[in-house]
Amino acid sequence: MEKLVIEGNHQLRGEVQISGAKNAVLPIMAAALLVAGETKINRVPDLRDTRTMAKLLEVIGVQIQFADGKMMIDATSIDKPIAPYDLVNKMRASFYVLGPLVARFGKAIVSLPGGCAWGPRPVDYHLKGLEKLGAKIELEGGDIIAKSKKLIGNKIRFDFPSVGATGNIIMAATLAKGETKIENAAKEPEIVQLCEFLVSMGAKIDGIGTTDIIVEGVNELLPCEVSVIPDRIEAGTFLIAGAALGKITLKNTIPEHLSVVIEKLTEVGAEVVIDKNDITVKRAKKINAVDVTTAVFPGFATDLQAQWIALMSIATGSSIVTDTIYNDRFSHVPELNRLGANITVEGNSAIVRGVKGLVGAKVRSTDIRASASLILAGLMAKGVTEVNHIHHIDRGYEKIENKFAQLGAKIKRISVDD
Ligand code: EPU
């Protein structure tokens, strides 16, 4: 096990390179299952989650090479369309292989993800969608067994624009017979990139980036090459850090993916300057308390909610941070309170009463974004903060301590005995 030890209250200054997006590369890797041949992916972040997905694809029979941010996936000969419990249990995004496997092989056995640290997180939309395309779905021994000789296009309406279900059904529909219309689809940038990647493989998709997506099935797709978009959540995390702690220039971003965060940071009092793909953020002299309600894209991302609460914990005044995507995603709150924050949770809102300053303590991270929130809080706190259970942060942030250290943070990774 490892922990991060942070000596807080130091200014941050300099440039940081933003990595490729975790939530874009994972569905792209799954989509490589749709095609016999070599898919080349550039700007792949070296994360626990990308490695878990690579391991899963290898279990299925895929050949993978991964070095220096380049991944080659050869799914020509796949012999075992199975996603086992131990991998799905580590990473729910493993469920992305379901649609591609059923579409290409007519069968998939994928372990049903359980609940997670912040709620049940069901996959019913994925399953209902595949059933609409004609797949027969059964649950046996905790595994979903999906079968279909040939998927047939249909009209599918999601009750909520789920990112994962939209991606899964689009991938399945690319090889279905006829037209699939998805209403109330997700339009997150990661889904847009997945669609564009599928189109470059020969898929026919209309309405990309809107809530109504039409996929006209084709007989086969061709292998191609793609570069992963920059991670807007990693970028948002560094923007929030800069707003509290100094002057940071983020290199390689897509500013349009961050419009709401930038708007909110300006309200907070930070100065934000965009120059093509770079964004510079300068700390707010006084951090104003600003309410946030998470929403689907282009709204404020739930994946930045925990980091926002960390910033608000030292604001002047009180703010309300509401999560409408996940009702119970507040496991970071008791840990932030250990650092002296004054936050209470009521329903799906956190009431954050700003305090003058945080004071370092030992804390424990419970998921990827909670870890990011605790690191930010540790950087803002006086004294030493130890963030334990940091395997979570490695799932979604590439070398986060090195990136912060380059900006002047006093942060070290240390091995600990269990
Ligand atoms: N939902 C259902 N049924 C379903 C699917 C979703 O009820 O079949 C509900 C969920 O419980 C949730 C809402 O719909 O309340 C949205 O879930 P969604 O399916 O959109 O989330 P996801 O695809 O499981 C992705 C990201 C998450 C991110 C959410 C929301 C990946 C690999 N994961 O999850 O990222 O929070 O979209 O934007 O893309 C993270 O990176 O830390 C992370 C959790």
Side-chain angles (χ1 to χ4, degrees):
M1 262 219 283
E2 290 174 324
K3 65 182 175 188
L4 288 177
V5 179
I6 302 166
E7 186 195 298
N9 210 19
H10 291 285
Q11 284 229 348
L12 302 183
R13 194 162 283 275
E15 289 182 358
V16 61
Q17 286 288 341
I18 299 305
S19 299
K22 166 179 90 73
N23 291 346
V25 75
L26 295 174
I28 287 173
M29 289 172 73
L33 288 169
L34 288 163
V35 62
E38 285 186 8
T39 296
K40 291 190 180 121
I41 315 176
N42 302 316
R43 215 187 300 131
V44 178
D46 192 355
L47 305 169
R48 277 168 78 104
D49 275 11
T50 37
R51 294 208 172 250
T52 301
M53 184 60 99
K55 209 176 278 169
L56 172 56
L57 296 182
E58 279 171 347
V59 167
I60 293 168
V62 167
Q63 304 288 316
I64 297 202
Q65 287 164 25
F66 180 33
D68 303 326
K70 291 185 191 310
M71 187 175 281
M72 195 281 296
I73 302 179
D74 186 344
T76 306
S77 48
I78 305 185
D79 45 12
K80 211 173 152 209
I82 295 176
Y85 176 73
D86 54 341
L87 291 173
V88 178
N89 190 36
K90 264 191 196 149
M91 184 188 74
R92 302 174 60 84
S94 308
F95 213 67
Y96 267 132
V97 301
L98 182 65
L101 284 178
V102 184
R104 182 155 163 223
F105 297 97
K107 185 175 177 187
I109 302 175
V110 178
S111 180
L112 182 67
C116 83
W118 22 276
R121 295 186 76 190
V123 287
D124 51 329
Y125 305 158
H126 304 238
L127 301 179
K128 279 184 205 148
L130 280 175
E131 274 178 334
K132 279 261 173 130
L133 298 183
K136 195 166 158 263
I137 308 272
E138 283 171 357
L139 176 69
E140 209 180 288
D143 292 333
I144 294 295
I145 304 178
K147 286 184 195 157
S148 162
K149 279 210 178 77
K150 179 80 184 165
L151 296 172
I152 314 277
N154 202 344
K155 191 169 134 184
I156 294 164
R157 184 178 168 80
F158 293 130
D159 290 340
F160 184 87
S162 154
V163 173
T166 301
N168 233 335
I169 298 304
I170 291 173
M171 289 190 274
T174 56
L175 294 180
K177 186 166 182 284
E179 184 183 286
T180 298
K181 185 167 185 209
I182 307 173
E183 291 176 359
N184 205 22
K187 49 188 172 99
E188 268 61 14
E190 296 76 18
I191 291 295
V192 170
Q193 167 147 69
L194 173 66
C195 290
E196 286 168 351
F197 170 59
L198 291 166
V199 166
S200 65
M201 290 162 94
K204 293 195 177 143
I205 308 177
D206 276 338
I208 296 174
T210 75
T211 52
D212 288 323
I213 290 182
I214 296 171
V215 185
E216 179 67 41
V218 296
N219 284 333
E220 70 168 348
L221 297 172
L222 297 170
C224 69
E225 185 167 344
V226 61
S227 288
V228 179
I229 55 170
D231 196 313
R232 63 194 168 102
I233 306 302
E234 187 199 21
T237 304
F238 279 98
L239 285 178
I240 292 171
L245 288 161
K247 188 175 174 203
I248 304 178
T249 298
L250 282 66
K251 309 293 282 183
N252 176 40
T253 68
I254 300 182
E256 306 88 81
H257 293 173
L258 291 152
S259 304
V260 183
V261 191
I262 292 172
E263 213 176 284
K264 290 283 175 187
L265 286 174
T266 311
E267 280 180 51
V268 159
E271 202 181 292
V272 184
V273 179
I274 298 171
D275 179 15
K276 298 192 186 97
N277 293 333
D278 299 346
I279 310 175
T280 300
V281 58
K282 206 168 141 194
R283 72 189 280 183
K285 286 195 182 77
K286 170 181 151 253
I287 296 173
N288 300 318
V290 176
D291 296 346
V292 149
T293 298
T294 69
V296 296
F297 188 80
F300 193 97
T302 173
D303 293 340
L304 285 171
Q305 175 259 100
Q307 300 87 317
W308 192 260
I309 290 182
L311 178 65
M312 287 302 100
S313 71
I314 54 158
T316 305
S318 297
S319 57
I320 300 178
V321 180
T322 302
D323 200 322
T324 67
I325 310 295
Y326 299 108
N327 291 332
D328 198 16
R329 195 181 194 178
F330 292 110
S331 57
H332 40 287
V333 165
E335 300 298 313
L336 290 170
N337 285 344
R338 285 180 56 72
L339 297 171
N342 181 356
I343 311 165
T344 45
V345 175
E346 282 177 26
N348 65 339
S349 294
I351 322 307
V352 191
R353 296 171 188 89
V355 294
K356 282 230 161 61
L358 301 174
V359 179
K362 289 183 183 173
V363 289
R364 173 188 163 166
S365 72
T366 44
D367 74 58
I368 307 173
R369 311 305 170 187
S371 314
S373 161
L374 295 175
I375 293 171
L376 292 183
L379 291 169
M380 296 182 310
K382 273 203 183 113
V384 176
T385 297
E386 279 186 14
V387 185
N388 290 283
H389 291 216
I390 53 156
H391 50 279
H392 294 289
I393 196 86
D394 297 329
R395 289 188 52 193
Y397 288 82
E398 205 178 25
K399 303 184 190 87
I400 192 164
E401 73 276 20
N402 294 355
K403 289 190 181 186
F404 273 121
Q406 272 167 20
L407 294 170
K410 305 268 178 276
I411 178 168
K412 273 189 304 199
R413 181 182 289 252
I414 289 179
S415 291
V416 278
D417 298 329
D418 284 82

mmCIF file of all heavy atoms in Angstrom, residues 22-23 26 93 96 118 121-126 160-165 188 302-303 325-326 329 368-369, ligand 1:
data_model
loop_
_atom_site.group_PDB
_atom_site.id
_atom_site.type_symbol
_atom_site.label_atom_id
_atom_site.label_comp_id
_atom_site.label_asym_id
_atom_site.label_seq_id
_atom_site.Cartn_x
_atom_site.Cartn_y
_atom_site.Cartn_z
ATOM 1 N N LYS A 22 -9.257 9.462 -19.335
ATOM 2 C CA LYS A 22 -9.614 8.097 -18.911
ATOM 3 C C LYS A 22 -10.960 7.682 -19.491
ATOM 4 O O LYS A 22 -11.092 6.600 -20.067
ATOM 5 C CB LYS A 22 -9.681 8.058 -17.376
ATOM 6 C CG LYS A 22 -10.372 6.817 -16.830
ATOM 7 C CD LYS A 22 -10.390 6.792 -15.325
ATOM 8 C CE LYS A 22 -11.564 7.433 -14.657
ATOM 9 N NZ LYS A 22 -12.835 6.698 -14.743
ATOM 10 N N ASN A 23 -11.963 8.541 -19.330
ATOM 11 C CA ASN A 23 -13.314 8.122 -19.715
ATOM 12 C C ASN A 23 -13.548 8.145 -21.229
ATOM 13 O O ASN A 23 -14.605 7.735 -21.703
ATOM 14 C CB ASN A 23 -14.361 8.965 -18.975
ATOM 15 C CG ASN A 23 -14.358 8.642 -17.489
ATOM 16 O OD1 ASN A 23 -13.781 7.641 -17.068
ATOM 17 N ND2 ASN A 23 -14.979 9.498 -16.694
ATOM 18 N N LEU A 26 -11.307 4.414 -22.322
ATOM 19 C CA LEU A 26 -11.877 3.101 -21.939
ATOM 20 C C LEU A 26 -12.903 2.587 -22.962
ATOM 21 O O LEU A 26 -12.794 1.448 -23.424
ATOM 22 C CB LEU A 26 -12.464 3.163 -20.522
ATOM 23 C CG LEU A 26 -11.416 3.403 -19.417
ATOM 24 C CD1 LEU A 26 -12.086 3.593 -18.060
ATOM 25 C CD2 LEU A 26 -10.404 2.260 -19.348
ATOM 26 N N ALA A 93 -16.288 0.199 -15.642
ATOM 27 C CA ALA A 93 -16.255 0.483 -17.087
ATOM 28 C C ALA A 93 -15.965 -0.774 -17.897
ATOM 29 O O ALA A 93 -16.107 -0.779 -19.121
ATOM 30 C CB ALA A 93 -15.231 1.573 -17.390
ATOM 31 N N TYR A 96 -18.345 -1.970 -20.562
ATOM 32 C CA TYR A 96 -18.323 -1.484 -21.947
ATOM 33 C C TYR A 96 -18.066 -2.594 -22.965
ATOM 34 O O TYR A 96 -18.332 -2.420 -24.147
ATOM 35 C CB TYR A 96 -17.224 -0.436 -22.124
ATOM 36 C CG TYR A 96 -17.672 1.008 -21.938
ATOM 37 C CD1 TYR A 96 -16.942 1.880 -21.126
ATOM 38 C CD2 TYR A 96 -18.781 1.513 -22.610
ATOM 39 C CE1 TYR A 96 -17.321 3.211 -20.975
ATOM 40 C CE2 TYR A 96 -19.163 2.836 -22.462
ATOM 41 C CZ TYR A 96 -18.435 3.681 -21.641
ATOM 42 O OH TYR A 96 -18.815 4.989 -21.517
ATOM 43 N N TRP A 118 -20.587 4.882 -3.606
ATOM 44 C CA TRP A 118 -21.583 5.945 -3.471
ATOM 45 C C TRP A 118 -22.892 5.607 -4.160
ATOM 46 O O TRP A 118 -23.449 6.412 -4.893
ATOM 47 C CB TRP A 118 -21.061 7.319 -3.903
ATOM 48 C CG TRP A 118 -19.885 7.276 -4.830
ATOM 49 C CD1 TRP A 118 -18.589 7.143 -4.468
ATOM 50 C CD2 TRP A 118 -19.901 7.344 -6.259
ATOM 51 N NE1 TRP A 118 -17.796 7.123 -5.584
ATOM 52 C CE2 TRP A 118 -18.570 7.252 -6.685
ATOM 53 C CE3 TRP A 118 -20.906 7.469 -7.207
ATOM 54 C CZ2 TRP A 118 -18.216 7.292 -8.032
ATOM 55 C CZ3 TRP A 118 -20.551 7.506 -8.535
ATOM 56 C CH2 TRP A 118 -19.230 7.418 -8.931
ATOM 57 N N ARG A 121 -25.655 2.328 -8.546
ATOM 58 C CA ARG A 121 -25.154 2.436 -9.934
ATOM 59 C C ARG A 121 -25.581 1.245 -10.814
ATOM 60 O O ARG A 121 -24.763 0.431 -11.235
ATOM 61 C CB ARG A 121 -23.621 2.594 -9.956
ATOM 62 C CG ARG A 121 -23.167 3.886 -9.337
ATOM 63 C CD ARG A 121 -21.691 4.091 -9.502
ATOM 64 N NE ARG A 121 -21.305 4.492 -10.854
ATOM 65 C CZ ARG A 121 -20.047 4.550 -11.278
ATOM 66 N NH1 ARG A 121 -19.057 4.220 -10.474
ATOM 67 N NH2 ARG A 121 -19.787 4.930 -12.502
ATOM 68 N N PRO A 122 -26.876 1.160 -11.110
ATOM 69 C CA PRO A 122 -27.366 0.025 -11.904
ATOM 70 C C PRO A 122 -26.917 0.079 -13.364
ATOM 71 O O PRO A 122 -26.380 1.088 -13.829
ATOM 72 C CB PRO A 122 -28.883 0.170 -11.807
ATOM 73 C CG PRO A 122 -29.139 1.597 -11.485
ATOM 74 C CD PRO A 122 -27.938 2.112 -10.758
ATOM 75 N N VAL A 123 -27.147 -1.038 -14.087
ATOM 76 C CA VAL A 123 -26.808 -1.087 -15.519
ATOM 77 C C VAL A 123 -28.053 -1.463 -16.328
ATOM 78 O O VAL A 123 -27.960 -2.020 -17.416
ATOM 79 C CB VAL A 123 -25.657 -2.082 -15.812
ATOM 80 C CG1 VAL A 123 -24.330 -1.536 -15.333
ATOM 81 C CG2 VAL A 123 -25.933 -3.450 -15.185
ATOM 82 N N ASP A 124 -29.233 -1.176 -15.751
ATOM 83 C CA ASP A 124 -30.487 -1.594 -16.398
ATOM 84 C C ASP A 124 -30.675 -0.982 -17.794
ATOM 85 O O ASP A 124 -31.188 -1.628 -18.706
ATOM 86 C CB ASP A 124 -31.698 -1.282 -15.499
ATOM 87 C CG ASP A 124 -31.715 0.155 -15.000
ATOM 88 O OD1 ASP A 124 -30.616 0.734 -14.817
ATOM 89 O OD2 ASP A 124 -32.806 0.716 -14.806
ATOM 90 N N TYR A 125 -30.196 0.245 -18.018
ATOM 91 C CA TYR A 125 -30.383 0.856 -19.353
ATOM 92 C C TYR A 125 -29.563 0.109 -20.414
ATOM 93 O O TYR A 125 -29.993 -0.047 -21.547
ATOM 94 C CB TYR A 125 -29.967 2.330 -19.386
ATOM 95 C CG TYR A 125 -30.630 3.231 -18.375
ATOM 96 C CD1 TYR A 125 -30.040 4.430 -17.995
ATOM 97 C CD2 TYR A 125 -31.852 2.899 -17.789
ATOM 98 C CE1 TYR A 125 -30.630 5.267 -17.062
ATOM 99 C CE2 TYR A 125 -32.443 3.734 -16.844
ATOM 100 C CZ TYR A 125 -31.819 4.904 -16.490
ATOM 101 O OH TYR A 125 -32.395 5.734 -15.577
ATOM 102 N N HIS A 126 -28.366 -0.325 -20.004
ATOM 103 C CA HIS A 126 -27.518 -1.084 -20.946
ATOM 104 C C HIS A 126 -28.280 -2.354 -21.368
ATOM 105 O O HIS A 126 -28.329 -2.702 -22.550
ATOM 106 C CB HIS A 126 -26.213 -1.539 -20.294
ATOM 107 C CG HIS A 126 -25.369 -0.452 -19.699
ATOM 108 N ND1 HIS A 126 -24.074 -0.230 -20.092
ATOM 109 C CD2 HIS A 126 -25.603 0.467 -18.731
ATOM 110 C CE1 HIS A 126 -23.550 0.766 -19.384
ATOM 111 N NE2 HIS A 126 -24.468 1.194 -18.548
ATOM 112 N N PHE A 160 -32.710 8.359 -18.591
ATOM 113 C CA PHE A 160 -31.693 9.341 -18.208
ATOM 114 C C PHE A 160 -30.539 9.185 -19.203
ATOM 115 O O PHE A 160 -30.231 8.071 -19.602
ATOM 116 C CB PHE A 160 -31.211 9.052 -16.772
ATOM 117 C CG PHE A 160 -30.245 10.063 -16.246
ATOM 118 C CD1 PHE A 160 -30.701 11.221 -15.618
ATOM 119 C CD2 PHE A 160 -28.873 9.891 -16.406
ATOM 120 C CE1 PHE A 160 -29.806 12.177 -15.155
ATOM 121 C CE2 PHE A 160 -27.972 10.842 -15.945
ATOM 122 C CZ PHE A 160 -28.450 11.980 -15.316
ATOM 123 N N PRO A 161 -29.886 10.286 -19.595
ATOM 124 C CA PRO A 161 -28.819 10.163 -20.618
ATOM 125 C C PRO A 161 -27.532 9.549 -20.063
ATOM 126 O O PRO A 161 -26.524 10.239 -19.884
ATOM 127 C CB PRO A 161 -28.613 11.603 -21.085
ATOM 128 C CG PRO A 161 -29.112 12.464 -19.977
ATOM 129 C CD PRO A 161 -30.170 11.697 -19.251
ATOM 130 N N SER A 162 -27.577 8.272 -19.808
ATOM 131 C CA SER A 162 -26.428 7.555 -19.234
ATOM 132 C C SER A 162 -25.263 7.514 -20.229
ATOM 133 O O SER A 162 -25.439 7.138 -21.397
ATOM 134 C CB SER A 162 -26.856 6.129 -18.883
ATOM 135 O OG SER A 162 -25.756 5.248 -18.907
ATOM 136 N N VAL A 163 -24.087 7.866 -19.728
ATOM 137 C CA VAL A 163 -22.879 7.858 -20.567
ATOM 138 C C VAL A 163 -22.566 6.426 -21.009
ATOM 139 O O VAL A 163 -22.430 6.126 -22.195
ATOM 140 C CB VAL A 163 -21.682 8.453 -19.769
ATOM 141 C CG1 VAL A 163 -20.380 8.306 -20.538
ATOM 142 C CG2 VAL A 163 -21.953 9.910 -19.414
ATOM 143 N N GLY A 164 -22.491 5.524 -20.021
ATOM 144 C CA GLY A 164 -22.086 4.154 -20.324
ATOM 145 C C GLY A 164 -23.091 3.439 -21.220
ATOM 146 O O GLY A 164 -22.706 2.747 -22.169
ATOM 147 N N ALA A 165 -24.389 3.600 -20.916
ATOM 148 C CA ALA A 165 -25.401 2.899 -21.719
ATOM 149 C C ALA A 165 -25.401 3.449 -23.149
ATOM 150 O O ALA A 165 -25.523 2.689 -24.115
ATOM 151 C CB ALA A 165 -26.780 3.061 -21.078
ATOM 152 N N GLU A 188 -21.768 13.739 -23.697
ATOM 153 C CA GLU A 188 -20.473 14.066 -23.100
ATOM 154 C C GLU A 188 -19.385 14.000 -24.185
ATOM 155 O O GLU A 188 -19.493 13.201 -25.133
ATOM 156 C CB GLU A 188 -20.158 13.036 -21.997
ATOM 157 C CG GLU A 188 -20.602 13.407 -20.580
ATOM 158 C CD GLU A 188 -22.101 13.607 -20.407
ATOM 159 O OE1 GLU A 188 -22.875 13.225 -21.299
ATOM 160 O OE2 GLU A 188 -22.492 14.157 -19.366
ATOM 161 N N THR A 302 -20.215 15.888 -12.417
ATOM 162 C CA THR A 302 -20.199 15.238 -11.092
ATOM 163 C C THR A 302 -18.787 14.829 -10.710
ATOM 164 O O THR A 302 -18.429 14.807 -9.530
ATOM 165 C CB THR A 302 -21.132 14.005 -11.064
ATOM 166 O OG1 THR A 302 -20.952 13.317 -9.819
ATOM 167 C CG2 THR A 302 -20.869 13.021 -12.188
ATOM 168 N N ASP A 303 -17.941 14.549 -11.706
ATOM 169 C CA ASP A 303 -16.570 14.117 -11.418
ATOM 170 C C ASP A 303 -15.686 15.257 -10.905
ATOM 171 O O ASP A 303 -14.514 15.028 -10.583
ATOM 172 C CB ASP A 303 -15.932 13.475 -12.669
ATOM 173 C CG ASP A 303 -16.606 12.163 -13.028
ATOM 174 O OD1 ASP A 303 -17.273 11.568 -12.158
ATOM 175 O OD2 ASP A 303 -16.483 11.725 -14.188
ATOM 176 N N ILE A 325 -26.477 13.813 -10.318
ATOM 177 C CA ILE A 325 -26.163 12.580 -11.075
ATOM 178 C C ILE A 325 -26.100 11.393 -10.113
ATOM 179 O O ILE A 325 -26.642 10.325 -10.392
ATOM 180 C CB ILE A 325 -24.821 12.721 -11.839
ATOM 181 C CG1 ILE A 325 -24.776 14.014 -12.656
ATOM 182 C CG2 ILE A 325 -24.560 11.488 -12.718
ATOM 183 C CD1 ILE A 325 -25.764 14.108 -13.790
ATOM 184 N N TYR A 326 -25.393 11.583 -9.016
ATOM 185 C CA TYR A 326 -25.307 10.554 -7.973
ATOM 186 C C TYR A 326 -25.746 11.185 -6.656
ATOM 187 O O TYR A 326 -25.162 12.182 -6.228
ATOM 188 C CB TYR A 326 -23.875 10.029 -7.847
ATOM 189 C CG TYR A 326 -23.364 9.391 -9.116
ATOM 190 C CD1 TYR A 326 -22.401 10.017 -9.886
ATOM 191 C CD2 TYR A 326 -23.862 8.170 -9.549
ATOM 192 C CE1 TYR A 326 -21.933 9.439 -11.061
ATOM 193 C CE2 TYR A 326 -23.412 7.587 -10.717
ATOM 194 C CZ TYR A 326 -22.449 8.227 -11.468
ATOM 195 O OH TYR A 326 -22.002 7.645 -12.619
ATOM 196 N N ARG A 329 -22.785 10.770 -3.441
ATOM 197 C CA ARG A 329 -21.351 10.773 -3.750
ATOM 198 C C ARG A 329 -20.607 11.760 -2.849
ATOM 199 O O ARG A 329 -19.987 12.712 -3.316
ATOM 200 C CB ARG A 329 -21.169 11.172 -5.223
ATOM 201 C CG ARG A 329 -19.797 10.867 -5.757
ATOM 202 C CD ARG A 329 -19.634 11.289 -7.202
ATOM 203 N NE ARG A 329 -18.430 10.685 -7.757
ATOM 204 C CZ ARG A 329 -18.034 10.833 -9.004
ATOM 205 N NH1 ARG A 329 -18.735 11.564 -9.851
ATOM 206 N NH2 ARG A 329 -16.931 10.260 -9.428
ATOM 207 N N ILE A 368 -11.824 7.718 -6.847
ATOM 208 C CA ILE A 368 -10.870 8.534 -7.622
ATOM 209 C C ILE A 368 -11.007 10.021 -7.311
ATOM 210 O O ILE A 368 -10.041 10.710 -7.012
ATOM 211 C CB ILE A 368 -11.114 8.343 -9.137
ATOM 212 C CG1 ILE A 368 -11.102 6.867 -9.507
ATOM 213 C CG2 ILE A 368 -10.105 9.117 -9.953
ATOM 214 C CD1 ILE A 368 -11.506 6.600 -10.959
ATOM 215 N N ARG A 369 -12.233 10.506 -7.425
ATOM 216 C CA ARG A 369 -12.407 11.967 -7.304
ATOM 217 C C ARG A 369 -12.329 12.423 -5.853
ATOM 218 O O ARG A 369 -11.910 13.543 -5.575
ATOM 219 C CB ARG A 369 -13.723 12.402 -7.957
ATOM 220 C CG ARG A 369 -13.932 11.850 -9.368
ATOM 221 C CD ARG A 369 -12.788 12.164 -10.318
ATOM 222 N NE ARG A 369 -12.904 11.416 -11.581
ATOM 223 C CZ ARG A 369 -11.983 11.397 -12.523
ATOM 224 N NH1 ARG A 369 -10.859 12.058 -12.392
ATOM 225 N NH2 ARG A 369 -12.169 10.694 -13.622
HETATM 226 N N1 EPU B 1 -27.939 4.832 -14.427
HETATM 227 C C1 EPU B 1 -28.999 3.982 -14.265
HETATM 228 N N2 EPU B 1 -29.052 2.862 -15.037
HETATM 229 C C2 EPU B 1 -28.097 2.560 -15.952
HETATM 230 C C3 EPU B 1 -27.013 3.441 -16.113
HETATM 231 C C4 EPU B 1 -26.958 4.572 -15.341
HETATM 232 O O1 EPU B 1 -29.884 4.220 -13.441
HETATM 233 O O2 EPU B 1 -28.215 1.528 -16.611
HETATM 234 C C5 EPU B 1 -27.855 6.049 -13.612
HETATM 235 C C6 EPU B 1 -26.642 6.018 -12.664
HETATM 236 O O3 EPU B 1 -26.917 5.329 -11.462
HETATM 237 C C7 EPU B 1 -26.379 7.485 -12.447
HETATM 238 C C8 EPU B 1 -26.739 8.103 -13.790
HETATM 239 O O4 EPU B 1 -27.590 7.157 -14.451
HETATM 240 O O5 EPU B 1 -27.224 8.006 -11.459
HETATM 241 C C9 EPU B 1 -25.557 8.421 -14.677
HETATM 242 O O6 EPU B 1 -24.734 7.291 -14.862
HETATM 243 P P1 EPU B 1 -23.905 7.055 -16.185
HETATM 244 O O7 EPU B 1 -24.336 5.769 -16.770
HETATM 245 O O8 EPU B 1 -23.963 8.268 -17.021
HETATM 246 O O9 EPU B 1 -22.431 6.874 -15.593
HETATM 247 P P2 EPU B 1 -21.350 5.831 -16.051
HETATM 248 O O10 EPU B 1 -21.374 5.652 -17.512
HETATM 249 O O11 EPU B 1 -21.413 4.633 -15.181
HETATM 250 C C10 EPU B 1 -19.520 7.642 -16.473
HETATM 251 C C11 EPU B 1 -18.132 7.917 -15.971
HETATM 252 C C12 EPU B 1 -18.193 8.359 -14.525
HETATM 253 C C13 EPU B 1 -19.060 9.607 -14.443
HETATM 254 C C14 EPU B 1 -20.444 9.353 -15.060
HETATM 255 C C15 EPU B 1 -21.313 10.581 -15.121
HETATM 256 C C16 EPU B 1 -16.797 6.400 -17.275
HETATM 257 C C17 EPU B 1 -15.949 5.190 -17.338
HETATM 258 N N3 EPU B 1 -17.343 6.706 -16.101
HETATM 259 O O12 EPU B 1 -20.027 6.611 -15.638
HETATM 260 O O13 EPU B 1 -16.859 8.682 -14.161
HETATM 261 O O14 EPU B 1 -19.202 10.007 -13.101
HETATM 262 O O15 EPU B 1 -20.297 8.835 -16.386
HETATM 263 O O16 EPU B 1 -20.725 11.572 -15.880
HETATM 264 O O17 EPU B 1 -16.967 7.096 -18.271
HETATM 265 C C18 EPU B 1 -15.001 8.879 -12.723
HETATM 266 O O18 EPU B 1 -14.307 9.039 -13.741
HETATM 267 O O19 EPU B 1 -14.572 9.074 -11.569
HETATM 268 C C19 EPU B 1 -16.389 8.441 -12.886
HETATM 269 C C20 EPU B 1 -17.097 7.917 -11.905
#
